[in-house]
């Protein structure tokens, strides 16, 4: 619910800021007073596009403002460029249609203009998502999110234009409010766009294991290419066939590397170990070290009774085979058995996510 409030507040505020900036250019500076839409529409479109992208970035990682500022520079620049382009197009259409020689229904004109502004906001949000989330590395997921953002923004713009026209037809605005009809109308547009984006860009509640320490890139392992390892995997890998596991940012690779997140299924059992039939295969671990049972928004770590000593959760080594219900940000560490040394310097660490807000953060 708080997410919706923040998006709606950002939408209303940015629409009013854009309208006021436009008034500064038109009234105070006297710029293109004869062509007001060419000034007003780009200002509003830029303000809305930048605000929606900015809000998405900060909501995705609210505890890391410095990182957000660093990531936001390029997405905001792209959003501003798309907003200016859409605003100029809609403003240009408005000026042409409003010529005295052309008779055109202004109600339809408003709907078309607001659709351009809303669509540019959706396109900006969808396109720039690629630069602030590794989840967008999956082409299928990126296009799904892009289409959802554009459709939601167009629907919100259409709804806002229709609501505003209905309010005007029923004379909901007193005569004293005639001078502020436009800011009220754009506030409705910003409000509905904000609400639409709060739904269309809502975090995906898919569970994931993010690979951490122990999965550092070590280069190609040529031994595995010649089939020299028939018992244990030559490198940490996921089973893409039977378990249908995949990485959030790369649906083709099977090699586990530091920073990659393994998308887990909603239901099912994931076997972890070094056996060829393990779904998550890690060299040096026991053949079967544990199972990860996935239920509806719940994950249970089930240690193997013979291997629970090789597992630590949040830094505490397991002392029993008792099942553990995982929560968001739980750290799971696996310790391989080293027959040549008693020092356990090598370990593999995962971070469990049950809500995928911002994997890049």
């Amino acid at each position: 619910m708080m997410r919706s409030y923040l998006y709606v507040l950002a939408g209303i505020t940015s629409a009013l800021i854009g309208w006021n900036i436009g008034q500064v250019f038109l009234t105070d500076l006297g710029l293109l007073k004869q062509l007001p839409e060419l000034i007003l529409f780009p200002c509003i479109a830029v303000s809305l596009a930048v605000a929606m992208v900015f809000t998405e970035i900060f909501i995705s990682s609210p505890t890391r403002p410095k990182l957000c500022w660093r990531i936001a520079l390029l997405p905001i620049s792209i959003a501003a460029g798309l907003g200016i382009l859409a605003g100029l197009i809609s403003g240009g259409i408005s000026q042409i249609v409003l010529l005295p020689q052309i008779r055109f229904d202004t109600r339809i004109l408003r709907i078309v203009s607001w659709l351009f502004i809303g669509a540019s906001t959706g396109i900006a949000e969808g396109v720039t998502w690629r630069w602030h989330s590794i989840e967008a590395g999956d082409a299928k997921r990126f296009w799904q999110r892009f289409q959802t953002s554009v459709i939601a923004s167009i629907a919100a713009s259409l709804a806002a234009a229709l609501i505003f026209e209905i309010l005007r037809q029923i004379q909901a605005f007193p005569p004293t409010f005639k001078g502020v009809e436009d800011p009220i109308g754009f506030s409705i547009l910003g409000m509905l766009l904000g609400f639409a984006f709060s739904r269309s860009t809502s975090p995906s509640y898919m569970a994931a294991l993010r690979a951490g320490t122990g999965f550092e890139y070590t280069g190609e392992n040529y031994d595995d290419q010649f089939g020299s390892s028939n018992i244990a995997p030559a490198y940490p890998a996921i089973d893409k066939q039977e378990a249908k596991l995949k990485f959030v940012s790369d649906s083709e690779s099977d090699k586990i590397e530091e920073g990659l997140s393994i998308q887990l299924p909603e239901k099912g059992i994931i076997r972890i170990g070094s056996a060829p039939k393990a779904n998550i295969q890690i060299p040096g671990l026991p053949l079967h070290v544990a199972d990860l049972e996935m239920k509806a928004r719940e994950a249970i770590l089930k240690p193997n009774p013979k291997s629970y000593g090789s597992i630590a959760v949040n830094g505490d080594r397991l002392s029993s085979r008792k099942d553990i219900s995982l929560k968001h940000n739980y750290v799971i560490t696996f310790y391989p058995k080293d027959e040549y040394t008693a020092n356990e310097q090598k370990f593999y660490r995962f971070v469990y996510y049950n809500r995928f807000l911002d994997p890049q953060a």
Side-chain angles (χ1 to χ4, degrees):
M1 186 62 69
M2 180 59 67
R3 180 185 178 88
S4 298
Y5 289 149
L6 291 174
Y7 263 101
V8 169
L9 180 62
I12 295 174
T13 303
S14 61
L16 291 175
I17 290 175
W19 185 84
N20 279 284
I21 292 175
Q23 296 307 308
V24 170
F25 284 118
L26 292 172
T27 305
D28 298 345
L29 301 180
L31 184 63
L32 294 178
K33 295 182 65 174
Q34 298 80 13
L35 306 171
E37 282 77 10
L38 282 178
I39 296 295
L40 189 60
F41 285 177
C43 289
I44 294 173
V46 169
S47 185
L48 282 170
V50 168
M52 293 298 105
V53 172
F54 198 69
T55 302
E56 170 65 16
I57 293 174
F58 271 81
I59 286 180
S60 295
S61 187
T63 60
R64 299 187 176 184
K66 291 183 179 180
L67 175 66
C68 292
W69 279 109
R70 188 167 66 250
I71 293 175
L73 182 59
L74 180 59
I76 286 178
S77 301
I78 296 172
L82 291 171
I84 291 175
L85 179 62
L88 289 174
I89 291 174
S90 59
I93 293 174
S94 299
Q95 291 300 321
I96 294 173
V97 172
L98 290 175
L99 290 173
Q101 299 85 350
I102 301 177
R103 295 181 179 180
F104 196 82
D105 193 332
T106 57
R107 293 172 296 182
I108 298 177
L109 175 60
R110 179 176 287 104
I111 292 174
V112 173
S113 299
W114 285 17
L115 282 177
F116 270 105
I117 294 174
S120 70
T121 306
I123 292 172
E125 199 286 327
V127 169
T128 58
W129 186 56
R130 181 185 295 275
W131 281 276
H132 63 84
S133 176
I134 63 171
E135 191 180 355
D138 188 327
K140 182 178 179 181
R141 173 67 177 140
F142 170 76
W143 284 111
Q144 180 187 26
R145 168 72 173 259
F146 178 80
Q147 292 170 5
T148 302
S149 295
V150 174
I151 292 173
S153 62
I154 290 175
S157 302
L158 180 60
L162 292 175
I163 290 173
F164 183 64
E165 288 301 332
I166 291 174
L167 292 176
R168 293 189 68 200
Q169 291 299 317
I170 64 175
Q171 297 182 350
F173 303 114
T176 54
F177 275 57
K178 290 295 182 181
V180 293
E181 275 189 359
D182 283 346
I184 292 176
F186 288 122
S187 296
I188 295 174
L189 174 62
M191 177 182 67
L192 293 186
L193 281 174
F195 181 77
F197 284 123
S198 72
R199 300 302 178 183
S200 65
T201 65
S202 60
S204 48
Y205 284 89
M206 61 180 179
L209 286 177
R210 183 183 176 101
T213 303
F215 295 100
E216 297 86 354
Y217 180 73
T218 57
E220 296 294 335
N221 191 316
Y222 295 100
D223 292 339
D224 186 61
Q225 297 180 13
F226 296 98
S228 61
S229 179
N230 297 320
I231 298 176
Y235 56 83
I238 59 174
D239 175 17
K240 297 175 57 181
Q241 301 300 323
E242 183 179 348
K244 296 182 179 179
L245 297 178
K246 67 176 182 177
F247 296 111
V248 174
S249 58
D250 187 351
S251 59
E252 301 298 327
S253 176
D254 69 339
K255 184 176 182 179
I256 305 174
E257 296 182 31
E258 185 179 19
L260 294 182
S261 296
I262 305 170
Q263 181 177 337
L264 301 174
E266 294 183 2
K267 295 182 180 180
I269 295 178
I270 307 300
R271 175 163 289 199
I272 305 172
S274 61
K277 292 185 178 180
N279 305 127
I280 296 179
Q281 303 174 12
I282 301 177
L285 291 185
L287 295 177
H288 175 212
V289 67
D291 287 331
L292 192 59
E293 183 177 359
M294 303 302 301
K295 299 182 179 180
R297 295 204 175 187
E298 184 181 10
I300 300 174
L301 182 67
K302 294 178 171 290
N304 186 324
K306 298 180 180 180
S307 307
Y308 60 80
S310 301
I311 308 172
V313 176
N314 290 337
D316 296 327
R317 203 65 168 256
L318 299 188
S319 58
S320 72
R321 55 175 290 185
K322 184 179 179 180
D323 294 350
I324 299 174
S325 180
L326 299 179
K327 297 182 180 179
H328 186 64
N329 273 340
Y330 265 34
V331 178
I332 309 169
T333 307
F334 297 101
Y335 295 90
K337 291 183 177 179
D338 191 341
E339 58 181 331
Y340 299 106
T341 177
N343 297 323
E344 295 178 324
Q345 297 178 351
K346 181 65 177 176
F347 58 87
Y348 295 92
R349 180 171 290 161
F350 288 103
V351 180
Y352 170 74
Y353 293 94
N354 63 12
R355 54 186 185 276
F356 219 56
L357 290 179
D358 183 11
Q360 186 162 309

